[in-house]
Amino acid sequence: MKKPVIVVLTGAGISAESGLRTFRDTDGLWEGFDVEDVATPRAWLSNQPMVQEFYNQRRRDVAAATPNLAHKLLAALEKDFRVRIVTQNIDDLHERAGSTNVLHLHGQIFKMRSDKQPHDDKFAQEIREDIPPGLKAEDGGLMRPHIVWFEEMVPTIMEAQTIMQTADIFILVGTSLVVYPAAGLVDFVPRDAPKYIIDKVIPEVGHYEHIIPIAKPATAGMTELSELLLKKN
């Protein structure tokens, strides 16, 4: 008998308990910066050193962070379920917690690529240290963070839509469902699949069926849900 498929969509809320902040928590500011100044192609063109240093600091923050209980509980579900995670987060905390099937919608902080290349993992290189300002790529471009910025296309969105369609059980953890196209992914989850929503503030999910809200932070919510799923299974 095949294990049920759990599809998980995670956002900033799951990493917040590991100490990683995002613009969502600060009225449009990300660590004191307006997102338009550090997270758009326009920002890169107008002030590359500032953008580079901003992401260098994010890389340091992620390197210093550790997976929290919510990350670990999702990884542990792989013992009893086929778990597929789609994350909006650029950190690697899911992987470090032990999850083996993770799709990053918005890129990965520990990768870089030439700004002449499209957002494709095959063009990306691992980077654990700072990216020096003005670092040249072999094609003559400048090395930039392998991040999908605002105003850029999300290249993995169709793959994510396909993953959503495979869900026997859907879990949403720590996302406000306000950033598109990621917010529209719930539309692709099978209508009859139970949909567990974990967040301190439950987002608007009015037209979806079989919603089970868990109005708690990620770690507390995943503790409750993990026990429930294992009992049901």
Side-chain angles (χ1 to χ4, degrees):
M1 183 176 178
K2 284 187 176 181
K3 295 178 180 179
V5 176
I6 293 180
V7 173
V8 188
L9 177 60
T10 66
I14 196 170
S15 294
E17 290 183 78
S18 291
L20 299 179
R21 297 169 56 199
T22 74
F23 73 93
R24 169 185 164 186
D25 303 313
T26 51
D27 298 326
L29 298 180
W30 192 355
E31 298 291 347
F33 291 87
D34 190 306
V35 295
E36 293 189 1
D37 293 334
V38 292
T40 63
R42 289 178 289 110
W44 177 250
L45 291 174
S46 65
N47 196 337
Q48 291 168 9
M50 185 175 74
V51 173
Q52 200 74 279
E53 175 52 29
F54 177 81
Y55 284 98
N56 284 341
Q57 184 58 54
R58 303 289 74 72
R59 195 174 299 106
R60 296 175 211 138
D61 293 342
V62 173
T66 56
N68 61 54
L69 182 59
H71 296 106
K72 294 173 183 177
L73 288 171
L74 284 173
L77 287 175
E78 292 191 11
K79 296 176 184 176
D80 298 281
F81 301 90
R82 288 178 289 160
V83 182
R84 311 181 75 181
I85 296 175
V86 176
T87 185
Q88 299 174 71
N89 300 331
I90 60 176
D91 60 64
D92 65 342
L93 296 182
H94 282 302
E95 289 90 342
R96 278 195 268 156
S99 290
T100 61
N101 195 334
V102 183
L103 177 71
H104 288 266
L105 283 174
H106 297 151
Q108 300 179 61
I109 193 62
F110 289 123
K111 291 186 177 182
M112 64 178 179
R113 73 176 192 278
S114 168
D115 60 4
K116 289 188 175 183
Q117 298 292 352
H119 188 98
D120 190 316
D121 281 351
K122 70 183 179 182
F123 297 119
Q125 303 175 28
E126 289 283 329
I127 178 69
R128 292 280 161 174
E129 308 298 330
D130 290 357
I131 303 175
L135 180 64
K136 286 289 186 74
E138 290 183 1
D139 62 7
L142 290 173
M143 282 295 192
R144 56 162 278 182
H146 188 53
I147 304 296
V148 179
W149 288 324
F150 291 92
E151 303 172 7
E152 291 186 317
M153 298 291 290
V154 179
T156 57
I157 194 66
M158 293 186 68
E159 183 179 356
Q161 291 169 358
T162 300
I163 290 171
M164 295 294 136
Q165 294 169 348
T166 69
D168 296 311
I169 300 166
F170 176 72
I171 304 173
L172 182 79
V173 187
T175 177
S176 58
L177 291 180
V178 296
V179 177
Y180 282 83
L185 287 173
V186 187
D187 292 336
F188 294 87
V189 177
R191 187 182 66 180
D192 295 335
K195 302 168 183 69
Y196 296 93
I197 312 297
I198 299 173
D199 201 278
K200 290 185 291 186
V201 179
I202 301 298
E204 177 56 47
V205 287
H207 68 284
Y208 299 117
E209 299 180 23
H210 307 292
I211 295 291
I212 304 99
I214 301 176
K216 295 182 178 181
T219 53
M222 274 306 306
T223 298
E224 178 179 322
L225 179 55
S226 181
E227 293 174 357
L228 176 65
L229 292 174
L230 293 175
K231 284 179 182 177
K232 285 189 173 184
N233 199 45

